[in-house]
Amino acid sequence: MTILKHFILIAAILFTANMQSQTQYEQGMQKAFDLWETNPIEASQLFERIANAEPDNWLPPYYAAETLILNGFTKLNDKSALEAQLNQAQNFLNDATAISKENPEIMVMQALLYTVYVASDGAKYGMTLSGKVMALYTKAEAIAPNNPRVVLNKADWEIGGARYFGQDTQPFCKDVERALELFATFKPESKFAPSWGKERAEEILKDCK
């Protein structure tokens, strides 16, 4: 075998191995997303396994956290179970942040985690976490002012605050309208990059009118 053929063979083997790895990752991620619809806890566990196999990819721990955080809104009255779940989600967010620092998508998810705490016990967490939520959205907005999830979730938080204090929500409803416009042109950076939020924006706008 000539040296050239030897290198071509090695390159072909490496390429094939890389394609198989990508396929396994993509299959695993798709399976986790499908599982999310029926069992978010198992989906989070699968995202966690993918994260262990993809230590340089922030998306699996991000989604491992998101599944637990969104599911947390269904457990607001079960304080012990909720705290354990959110602690686990926080660990996943810490992992994602270590991989991708100053990431506005992760900041939004961190703000949502704090929001679950506030929703579960406003008297206990409202004073300590409300400022942190707003600070996260403000920072994310400075980094990515045209990210629809940043605009939407910041407005959603502000609408909640305005209603709580009996203030006008219309200025923030306009921000939700802007978020919906941004969703129409937003293109995710990769196949599994965050793209959620459009349906939530549409729901909020219904309440605004």
Side-chain angles (χ1 to χ4, degrees), residues 6-18:
H6 181 72
F7 279 117
I8 291 174
L9 178 60
I10 292 175
I13 291 172
L14 291 174
F15 177 77
T16 301
N18 184 52

Side-chain angles (χ1 to χ4, degrees), residues 44 60-70 88-90 92-93 109:
S44 181
Y62 165 89
Y63 285 117
E66 183 179 8
T67 51
L68 297 178
I69 291 167
L70 296 185
Q88 188 178 14
Q90 184 64 67
F92 290 137
L93 286 183
M109 198 52 56

Side-chain angles (χ1 to χ4, degrees), residues 72-93:
F73 283 106
T74 70
K75 298 179 178 178
L76 298 179
N77 295 323
D78 190 346
K79 296 296 192 293
S80 59
L82 179 63
E83 184 173 0
Q85 189 162 308
L86 292 182
N87 284 340
Q88 188 178 14
Q90 184 64 67
N91 289 334
F92 290 137
L93 286 183

